[in-house]
Amino acid sequence: KARDILERTPVVSRNAMEVLIPQSDRQGCRLVAIMHSMAYLMHPGAWRSCWIRFGYDPRTDEDAYKYQILDMRRKSTKETAGRIRVSRRGGGANILKQSVQEKEDAVPKNAIEAQRYIFDETAAAQDMGGVFQLCHIEIPIIKDLINYASGRRKRPCYESGWLQPSLVKLIQIKLREVKRVCSEGSSETPDSLDINYEELDKAILADRKIDEAELEAEAMLREREVGSVIGQATQEGRERLRANVDKFMQNLGTLENRETDDDANDDGVDFDDFDIYGEESDADSQSDAADDD
């Protein structure tokens, strides 16, 4: 079942997998023991806390923006700020404790406790909190923002993945408005919320300028690094050449010294001690003349 899920969707949040493969289907096995044989976890970044199928990298696939997560966890509502002065007459402390307990009991469950991974109008009406993937958000006005082509990046970044930061920020703002509209039971609907695309385009343009400046800075840094590597290689080549020349000159000096020593030794040699082939000595000439006589 886990393999079938990953074949359909290469990136699945941990919350979604917990719901899709409940404890009753695991025969007592932990989900992490099952998933580690077929997927890996990306802890930081836009796909954090998601199971990613082996062989798939969302950072190299532009369509992976829909698998990114959106953190909609609710802040704690517990009374923690300062000391509260309560009169103990007439059971005031018990009344305060009861009111705080009622407030905590009224807090909606988060997505894990509610076993939900789809964020729709029902979840918005319950003020559902949690970590949801963009592909699991079923509110039309939010889906239009998610699929807004002008809000894509040329390369993913750590914080917002394949989407521009200004687009992700607007999605979070509009989701809070959707929660407010759905939970208050007003006559408004999520589709009636206004989105100023002109202002959004201006913010996206500013994000793109920042991206271009970062790319240009990185290109200059790479050129500088390449230049320094080439310069280092050239310097190393020069040093090797200089060492070879020094070695050659040293060897040449040794040979010259050896020839000089040989010449010095030749000064004390009596060449009369050597017979030269093809020439006769005086003694040989006299003996030959006597024989002729």
Side-chain angles (χ1 to χ4, degrees):
K1 188 172 182 179
R3 292 186 186 279
D4 290 341
I5 293 171
L6 289 174
E7 284 297 324
R8 294 193 303 268
T9 307
V11 183
V12 184
S13 68
R14 298 175 67 177
N15 296 349
M17 197 63 76
E18 290 281 352
V19 177
L20 294 171
I21 307 180
Q23 187 67 36
S24 58
D25 294 345
R26 301 182 211 158
Q27 300 177 354
C29 294
R30 294 177 59 194
L31 183 62
V32 65
I34 300 171
M35 297 302 299
H36 269 321
S37 63
M38 62 193 75
Y40 63 96
L41 282 172
M42 185 177 290
H43 291 290
W47 296 274
R48 66 180 181 273
S49 298
C50 289
W51 290 109
I52 303 173
R53 186 181 66 209
F54 284 145
Y56 180 80
D57 188 351
R59 297 169 299 181
T60 61
D61 183 10
E62 295 182 1
D63 291 334
Y65 72 91
K66 55 190 174 184
Y67 304 131
Q68 295 177 201
I69 60 102
L70 195 66
D71 194 344
M72 294 188 288
R73 287 176 292 186
R74 301 172 58 258
K75 295 181 179 180
S76 176
T77 58
K78 293 182 179 181
E79 302 282 346
T80 58
R83 297 177 59 185
I84 302 175
R85 298 176 61 89
V86 179
S87 174
R88 297 188 178 275
R89 296 178 182 178
N94 294 331
I95 294 174
L96 178 61
K97 184 183 294 185
Q98 182 178 358
S99 63
V100 171
Q101 184 65 38
E102 289 176 355
K103 185 182 293 185
E104 291 180 358
D105 293 340
V107 173
K109 295 180 179 180
N110 59 36
I112 298 177
E113 294 173 348
Q115 289 291 292
R116 295 181 64 96
Y117 67 94
I118 302 293
F119 190 87
D120 51 14
E121 292 188 15
T122 301
Q126 296 174 353
D127 195 17
M128 188 70 63
V131 177
F132 295 89
Q133 286 183 271
L134 297 182
C135 60
H136 294 151
I137 296 178
E138 298 294 338
I139 297 177
I141 189 173
I142 304 299
K143 291 179 69 174
D144 291 342
L145 284 174
I146 294 171
N147 297 321
Y148 190 53
S150 298
R152 309 280 175 78
R153 295 171 56 91
K154 294 181 180 180
R155 61 172 186 172
C157 69
Y158 178 84
E159 294 83 5
S160 60
W162 287 102
L163 302 182
Q164 294 290 357
S166 55
L167 179 59
V168 174
K169 183 177 180 180
L170 182 61
I171 291 173
Q172 293 173 335
I173 292 173
K174 292 303 175 182
L175 274 172
R176 287 196 292 267
E177 294 182 7
V178 167
K179 284 185 176 183
R180 176 184 58 79
V181 169
C182 293
S183 62
E184 290 179 355
S186 62
S187 58
E188 287 185 287
T189 61
D191 294 336
S192 64
L193 296 176
D194 181 42
I195 296 178
N196 191 337
Y197 281 96
E198 184 177 354
E199 292 296 327
L200 176 60
D201 289 338
K202 291 180 180 179
I204 290 174
L205 181 60
D207 290 338
R208 286 179 179 171
K209 289 182 178 180
I210 295 174
D211 294 341
E212 291 174 357
E214 291 178 354
L215 288 172
E216 185 177 356
E218 290 178 3
M220 292 177 62
L221 183 60
R222 282 196 299 270
E223 290 179 1
R224 186 177 302 174
E225 290 176 352
V226 170
S228 92
V229 169
I230 293 175
Q232 183 179 0
T234 304
Q235 183 65 24
E236 291 177 357
R238 291 174 180 171
E239 291 177 357
R240 286 197 300 269
L241 179 60
R242 188 179 297 111
N244 292 334
V245 170
D246 293 341
K247 185 176 181 180
F248 173 76
M249 295 301 294
Q250 184 178 2
N251 294 335
L252 183 61
T254 303
L255 291 174
E256 290 178 350
N257 293 333
R258 186 178 303 170
E259 291 178 358
T260 304
D261 295 339
D262 293 341
D263 293 340
N265 294 330
D266 291 344
D267 294 341
V269 177
D270 186 4
F271 286 97
D272 294 338
D273 294 339
F274 296 90
D275 291 336
I276 300 176
Y277 182 77
E279 296 184 2
E280 296 179 349
S281 64
D282 295 339
D284 292 338
S285 300
Q286 292 176 0
S287 61
D288 292 340
D291 292 338
D292 291 340
D293 293 340

